[in-house]
Amino acid sequence: MTERPPHGSARPGGRTARTRAAVLAAAYEELDRESFATLTLDRLAQRSGVHVSTIRRRWRTVDGVIVDLLAERSAALPTPDTGDFRRDLEELARAIGDFNNALRNRNVIQGLLVAAAHDPRVEEIVRDAFVRRTEEVTQIVSRAIERGEVPEDTDAREVIAAMAAPIYYRVLILRGFVDERLAYTAVETAYRAARAGVFVRKA
Amino acid sequence: MTERPPHGSARPGGRTARTRAAVLAAAYEELDRESFATLTLDRLAQRSGVHVSTIRRRWRTVDGVIVDLLAERSAALPTPDTGDFRRDLEELARAIGDFNNALRNRNVIQGLLVAAAHDPRVEEIVRDAFVRRTEEVTQIVSRAIERGEVPEDTDAREVIAAMAAPIYYRVLILRGFVDERLAYTAVETAYRAARAGVFVRKA
């Protein structure tokens, strides 16, 4: 079986792109009212005005739509650049917190983990999406290294993961919301460890 | 609708308890070979020798069996007490890491998150199980406070969550395994922050 091109990659701005935008917008709206469990292709068709057979042909399942939605939404988060390492981490923590406090985003993440548990290909897509997103914001750490705020050879991905992990733990395991206190402890914990050289790569 | 007593609570050591043990053991064995997605009540019946209608009557769904399995398995983790705060955290990190590196335990956790996404009652059970488990190991922090290793008024649950979070982030989000390096950075990060008073409750 040959791989098809990524969803919506053909004719950017054309009908394919418009169809993708309509279906993803519909999914995002539905997830603001309903959980992932109740989402169906028929519902997406109804809300988006795109025929269900078109949706099925392109994404195959609800899982496929959710995976595509993650790609679209996570591209929307900016990388802070305030000139100060702690402040960059604070802004990033706030952005991740706000994202995860919105019901529909929680439902996207939940849906992704369900999809990943059902399908190793989705598992890989989820992993790649988070790795790519982490990679983007590692600039926060590279800039801190340049400014001499953290030691050289600090593993930037480890720093970002250390800061983000408590937020995902709260959301996915404790099923709670991200508050000021959690953002504070997550930033402070990662910041201090990074400054102290905990994330310096061993020779 | 009145609540039934917890699964297997009737006649401890009797037929009910034996049936529960057989079904949970069968589920745990299946999850060592197959993912949660392929587990069915029929398979559990076949492996356990318990009639499928009995399983369905008691647990209703595969989700129900998995939730019960979590309760049984997570009760098996001991709380370290070495007399040293850092060493206690290291042992706890190793125990959580080992648990999450075993395929069948990964499958239990995955299955739970799938079940929680489908059913708010399961969501509550998952949350309660983790909160209860965290509560148990907070003794590590209380003892560190008594020994003067961390400040009084340190929020013990926050410390445990800070240490455990990077492990679950690795397993659930990055879909990877827990290695020595991750255990080291997770412990070191939480340990230093706790010593520095990051988790002290504000007045």
Side-chain angles (χ1 to χ4, degrees), chain A residues 161-174:
Chain A
M163 193 282 287
I167 295 177
Y168 287 100
Y169 183 81
R170 171 74 60 89
V171 171
L172 296 176
I173 300 279
L174 300 181

Side-chain angles (χ1 to χ4, degrees), chain B residues 72-89:
Chain B
E72 192 202 49
R73 302 309 309 176
S74 61
L77 288 171
T79 301
D81 184 13
T82 65
D84 179 79
F85 180 44
R86 187 189 252 130
R87 217 152 357 124
D88 281 353
L89 287 179

